[in-house]
Amino acid sequence: MFSIAYSKTMYALNRCCYEGCTKIALSSIDSDGNLREEEGFCLEHSPNPEYATQKIKNYILTHEKIVGLNASYITFSEFEIENKKFYGCNFQHCTFRNVHSNNLRARMCMFDFSTFTDCNFPASNMQFSSFAGSKFVHTVCTGSDLIHNNFNGATAYQSSFDDSDLYNSRFIKSVLINTSMANCNLKKVAFYESVREGVSFHLSNTREALIDRSEGGLIGDVS
């Protein structure tokens, strides 16, 4: 059971110190490698964005459990994060390229408007997290628990969610192209107003998915 208090896991909502900027500041990390809740800059206005990026990457690599980290707009490329646990972290507008993690854990994390390309996250457990407006290209999340997540407006191209539990997740207005959700639990998964081309739902319980509002949300087979 997930029992960490919600208020203790969310990232600090400190605004960027640059005048007129409304973005959230990147997390500050002290000399001992600990997160500090203090004023700072977003990646765009950081005095040394490369240094700020590397400090956040090093923090992730040297910690098994990451709580309340704000890393928005950072690019993660050729990144290995095996068995990491993320709680209440902000990865909005990030770019993930060739990122690989087996057994990734995430709770109440924000990945909105991020891009995942050639990434692999098998056997992951991501719950109560948001991927709204994100793009998945050649990305694999097979054998995972992806429960109570928000994929509204997301785009998935040649990606795989096979053998995963997607219970009560949302793909409203999403675009799914040549993507596979075979042998998945689709109970209460909402696909309202989504575009689905070349999508495989082989062996998935499509009768329990929510597809058409006018039909009460339940249909037989998903095309």
Side-chain angles (χ1 to χ4, degrees):
M1 179 180 293
F2 179 59
S3 59
I4 295 179
Y6 191 89
S7 62
K8 294 182 179 179
T9 61
M10 295 304 294
Y11 55 90
L13 296 174
N14 296 325
R15 295 292 180 184
C16 175
C17 291
Y18 190 85
E19 184 176 358
C21 183
T22 60
K23 294 178 182 178
I24 303 299
L26 292 173
S27 291
S28 297
I29 302 170
D30 63 23
S31 58
D32 294 323
N34 299 313
L35 291 182
R36 296 177 59 87
E37 293 190 14
E38 59 184 28
E39 294 183 345
F41 295 92
C42 68
L43 183 65
E44 179 184 0
H45 297 121
S46 172
N48 191 334
E50 292 80 12
Y51 178 68
T53 295
Q54 194 57 52
K55 286 195 72 174
I56 285 180
K57 289 181 178 179
N58 288 341
Y59 183 84
I60 293 174
L61 291 173
T62 55
H63 289 76
E64 178 183 355
K65 182 170 69 174
I66 296 93
V67 180
L69 177 71
N70 180 38
S72 55
Y73 290 93
I74 286 180
T75 294
F76 297 90
S77 184
E78 307 292 339
F79 207 55
E80 300 285 342
I81 47 174
E82 296 289 319
N83 302 311
K84 298 293 183 180
K85 299 177 176 66
F86 296 90
Y87 300 99
C89 295
N90 180 17
F91 292 99
Q92 292 178 314
H93 299 277
C94 283
T95 297
F96 300 89
R97 188 181 303 114
N98 286 310
V99 175
H100 305 284
S101 176
N102 188 60
N103 197 35
L104 176 70
R105 295 291 183 266
R107 294 290 188 278
M108 298 184 293
C109 291
M110 308 292 287
F111 297 90
D112 301 333
F113 306 106
S114 290
T115 300
F116 299 82
T117 305
D118 296 316
C119 295
N120 290 285
F121 304 109
S124 293
N125 189 309
M126 301 186 224
Q127 300 184 31
F128 304 103
S129 295
S130 180
F131 298 84
S134 290
K135 296 180 181 180
F136 300 86
V137 180
H138 304 149
T139 292
V140 175
C141 299
T142 54
S144 296
D145 290 325
L146 306 174
I147 300 171
H148 305 295
N149 292 323
N150 174 17
F151 294 93
N152 292 344
T155 298
Y157 176 72
Q158 292 187 351
S159 294
S160 176
F161 297 85
D162 290 352
D163 305 310
S164 294
D165 188 350
L166 298 170
Y167 175 78
N168 201 38
S169 286
R170 298 289 183 266
F171 289 84
I172 298 171
K173 295 187 177 180
S174 63
V175 178
L176 309 175
I177 301 176
N178 297 333
T179 286
S180 184
M181 291 184 174
N183 196 35
C184 287
N185 177 23
L186 300 179
K187 186 173 183 179
K188 294 187 177 181
V189 177
F191 293 96
Y192 299 140
E193 302 177 60
S194 63
V195 175
R196 304 178 304 280
E197 297 181 4
V199 177
S200 172
F201 291 96
H202 182 61
L203 297 179
S204 296
N205 54 336
T206 57
R207 291 181 180 275
E208 297 187 86
L210 309 176
I211 311 296
D212 189 341
R213 296 180 192 271
S214 64
E215 297 293 335
L218 299 177
I219 69 168
D221 295 324
V222 182
S223 61

